[in-house]
Amino acid sequence: MITTNPFDDDKLREECGIFGVSGAETASAMVALGLHALQHRGQEAAGITSWDGHDFHTHRAMGHVAGNFDRDEVIRGLPGDTACGHVRYSTTGETSLRNVQPLYAELNSGGFAVAHNGNISNAMKVRRELIRRGSIFQSTSDTEVIIHLVATSNYRTLLDKFIDALKQIEGAYSLIVMTPEGMIACRDPLGIRPLVMGKLGDSIIFASETVALDVVGADYVRSIDPGELVIVTKDGEMRSIRPFGEVHPRPCIFEHVYFSRPDSIIDNSSVYSVRKAIGAQLAIENPVEADYVIPVPDSGVPAAIGYAQESGIPFELGIIRSHYIGRTFIQPGDKVRHLGVKLKHNANRALIQGKRIVLIDDSIVRGTTSLKIVQMMREAGAAEVHMRIASPPTKHSCFYGVDTPERTKLLAHKLDIGGMQDFIHADSLAFISIDGLYKALGEAKRADIRPQYCDACFTGDYPTKLTDQDEAVVENQFELLAERVS
């Protein structure tokens, strides 16, 4: 039976990746390349929609970009000089083709395609109201509420309808929208999810990360600002509007810790350099005597380099990762299932036998992978195993486009650090402090009022309303009360 790798379940899942091109002869081919570079942000499904000046064309498929969009006949079926694409890992809505983006609909004003990275935290409430008013939904994705809000808006122009829709939703969104009038790229007023703009000749490009610009040979221009809409008309004219007034940005801090590729630039900072700085700060806050600093590949590598440089302990590759294991593999039984981590990671026994080692990882979610990794080190003969984590304890769920387990399944919610250390059987366990993380990002510390980043997964300080979540809690309390009364 093919099933989900249980050890991938011990990482915070990447959200989604979006990429759009306006004014390029080979727009859909360029989008396919861009999506390849963003594949780490979503591996369940991918889609591309193009506009040829008369008609919209869409191809969506389950699985990776490779194998679905590297065939000539697929790209030929997506003609036009404007296109946008999406790679998906579902955070809201079931895993099925009807939820694969870009989502497309024929509105009174013409075709409307949207690619969304993030999560709308009042989508269920808005959806119920729209259905009550007669809307018919074709997917279970939160993104579709945007289309219906645009379609039912009483404003006259399409742009005003779109702004009206945005003002009715809460949560996190980076969007690329295509209409017969052109392309719109925007971020929510807090800028929780990333979006950047680039240029290649006369073509304007939007992407979740700068690495996607690099792959297509485009120059990075700037980030789309929180609350900003950038409109590119079909004639290539570009303008920017900011309909939300004054904003107080709270971009996702976990982009710097784990989600973004290390060769990307976020908010004018190199992700790789930031992760090294996090590792250095981790070493300052949590030193330990050891023989080697060893990363848990691949996400722990830059932080481990920073830790090693700051501490003076040699950096070594004590765990070797197989790059040929995807997110699925065959599990014929529980015994083999528990050996699954060795398909992905294996100890470099000759190096670590008899040594005191410091393992560096980006985070601990459920703790199952950390437990297996520590056990693997001990079986390979490590004298001591110390674990250092390049983020604070993950105690809270994310509702902004990151698929985190329920809060009750987060190890840091259930146990204090001593309890977590005992659970993973490490000789010591320590995390970077929240102020230390901010320091590594160039801030003096975390601001008490209006923090500089969204760090809700660590602090529980959610920067927006959580309408659907709050309503679900109330409904659950009523159900529990009804059960007691009965």
Side-chain angles (χ1 to χ4, degrees):
M1 178 181 67
I2 302 295
T3 184
T4 302
N5 187 331
F7 302 101
D8 283 328
D9 193 37
D10 197 28
K11 285 288 184 183
L12 297 184
R13 297 275 194 166
E14 303 88 343
E15 327 90 54
C16 298
I18 57 177
F19 190 94
V21 178
S22 177
E25 290 184 8
T26 57
S28 58
M30 196 178 297
V31 171
L33 286 173
L35 294 181
H36 270 288
L38 298 174
Q39 187 74 86
H40 60 288
R41 300 186 72 90
Q43 291 95 37
E44 282 189 353
I48 296 176
T49 296
S50 70
W51 164 247
D52 65 8
H54 300 282
D55 298 302
F56 285 86
H57 308 269
T58 296
H59 183 79
R60 301 182 297 166
M62 304 302 296
H64 289 189
V65 179
N68 285 311
F69 291 95
D70 52 4
R71 303 192 306 273
D72 289 341
E73 63 270 21
V74 172
I75 299 302
R76 285 197 302 268
L78 297 166
D81 67 356
T82 303
C84 69
H86 186 273
V87 288
R88 179 176 192 263
Y89 177 77
S90 60
T91 57
T92 299
E94 64 188 13
T95 301
S96 66
L97 192 59
R98 65 175 176 160
N99 287 332
V100 179
Q101 299 186 30
L103 297 183
Y104 175 79
E106 286 285 346
L107 307 184
N108 187 50
S109 55
F112 186 94
V114 58
H116 171 208
N117 173 24
N119 195 59
I120 299 170
S121 57
N122 67 333
M124 293 306 298
K125 181 177 181 179
V126 174
R127 183 187 181 101
R128 286 195 297 268
E129 176 60 23
L130 286 164
I131 291 173
R132 189 188 65 80
R133 287 156 43 187
S135 292
I136 300 173
F137 282 75
Q138 300 298 314
S139 77
T140 59
S141 170
D142 62 325
T143 308
E144 193 178 354
V145 302
I146 298 172
I147 296 175
H148 287 274
L149 288 172
V150 172
T152 57
S153 173
N154 292 322
Y155 283 82
R156 187 177 61 84
T157 70
L158 179 61
L159 180 58
D160 286 339
K161 289 175 183 288
F162 182 54
I163 293 171
D164 180 39
L166 295 182
K167 289 185 176 181
Q168 296 179 66
I169 60 177
E170 303 166 0
Y173 55 82
S174 285
L175 300 170
I176 297 175
V177 170
M178 286 170 47
T179 76
E181 299 176 11
M183 179 173 282
I184 305 171
C186 68
R187 289 173 78 186
D188 66 75
L190 294 177
I192 296 175
R193 300 267 69 86
L195 191 63
V196 298
M197 178 169 62
K199 195 166 185 182
L200 180 61
D202 295 328
S203 304
I204 302 297
I205 301 172
F206 303 101
S208 292
E209 293 184 39
T210 60
V211 66
L213 303 178
D214 297 338
V215 166
V216 301
D219 293 323
Y220 168 56
V221 176
R222 64 178 178 87
S223 292
I224 305 301
D225 290 334
E228 180 186 20
L229 279 71
V230 176
I231 299 103
V232 183
T233 69
K234 59 184 177 182
D235 299 319
E237 297 180 2
M238 184 171 64
R239 62 191 176 102
S240 167
I241 61 174
R242 301 168 191 268
F244 297 99
E246 184 181 8
V247 298
H248 301 281
R250 294 277 300 272
C252 173
I253 202 167
F254 220 88
E255 291 284 348
H256 294 280
V257 173
Y258 173 66
F259 291 135
S260 294
R261 267 181 45 167
D263 45 345
S264 281
I265 295 171
I266 296 180
D267 299 326
N268 299 316
S269 296
S270 159
V271 175
Y272 179 77
S273 296
V274 167
R275 288 179 186 167
K276 283 180 62 181
I278 292 172
Q281 183 64 28
L282 181 62
I284 293 170
E285 293 183 357
N286 300 290
V288 65
E289 291 187 6
D291 298 303
Y292 295 134
V293 174
I294 292 175
V296 177
D298 289 324
S299 56
V301 172
I305 293 173
Y307 192 101
Q309 290 176 347
E310 178 63 34
S311 66
I313 302 171
F315 171 94
E316 292 286 357
L317 296 179
I319 302 171
I320 308 301
R321 180 187 172 188
S322 170
H323 290 272
Y324 300 95
I325 300 298
R327 289 187 176 268
T328 59
F329 64 100
I330 296 173
Q331 299 173 351
D334 285 343
K335 185 175 181 179
V336 174
R337 182 177 186 273
H338 290 298
L339 296 175
V341 71
K342 291 189 177 181
L343 289 173
K344 192 170 184 177
H345 298 128
N346 194 41
N348 186 353
R349 183 181 296 269
L351 175 78
I352 66 177
Q353 190 165 16
K355 303 297 184 182
R356 301 166 299 169
I357 62 172
V358 186
L359 291 173
I360 309 293
D361 206 354
D362 61 89
S363 60
I364 292 180
V365 182
R366 296 173 187 263
T368 52
T369 294
S370 299
L371 171 63
K372 294 292 182 181
I373 292 290
V374 171
Q375 180 182 349
M376 182 193 301
M377 296 295 98
R378 295 202 185 282
E379 290 174 352
E384 296 177 11
V385 182
H386 303 274
M387 197 94 183
R388 296 292 180 268
I389 306 299
S391 62
T394 303
K395 297 181 179 180
H396 306 271
S397 298
C398 176
F399 301 99
Y400 300 122
V402 180
D403 187 57
T404 51
E406 295 177 8
R407 188 181 178 191
T408 56
K409 296 180 180 178
L410 295 170
L411 192 65
H413 171 71
K414 297 186 290 186
L415 302 172
D416 61 14
I417 293 178
M420 296 174 73
Q421 176 182 323
D422 291 341
F423 177 85
I424 66 173
H425 301 310
D427 290 289
S428 70
L429 171 66
F431 297 76
I432 192 171
S433 68
I434 189 68
D435 283 341
L437 180 58
Y438 273 80
K439 187 173 182 179
L441 284 160
E443 307 288 346
K445 64 174 186 175
R446 182 184 191 269
D448 295 329
I449 300 174
R450 289 179 181 165
Q452 305 91 321
Y453 293 91
C454 176
D455 54 21
C457 54
F458 307 132
T459 65
D461 180 6
Y462 295 97
T464 74
K465 295 179 181 177
L466 300 175
T467 299
D468 291 343
Q469 177 67 15
D470 292 341
E471 288 186 355
V473 170
V474 171
E475 289 175 6
N476 185 52
Q477 288 174 341
F478 273 119
E479 289 175 2
L480 291 173
L481 181 60
E483 288 177 5
R484 289 171 185 166
V485 171
S486 61

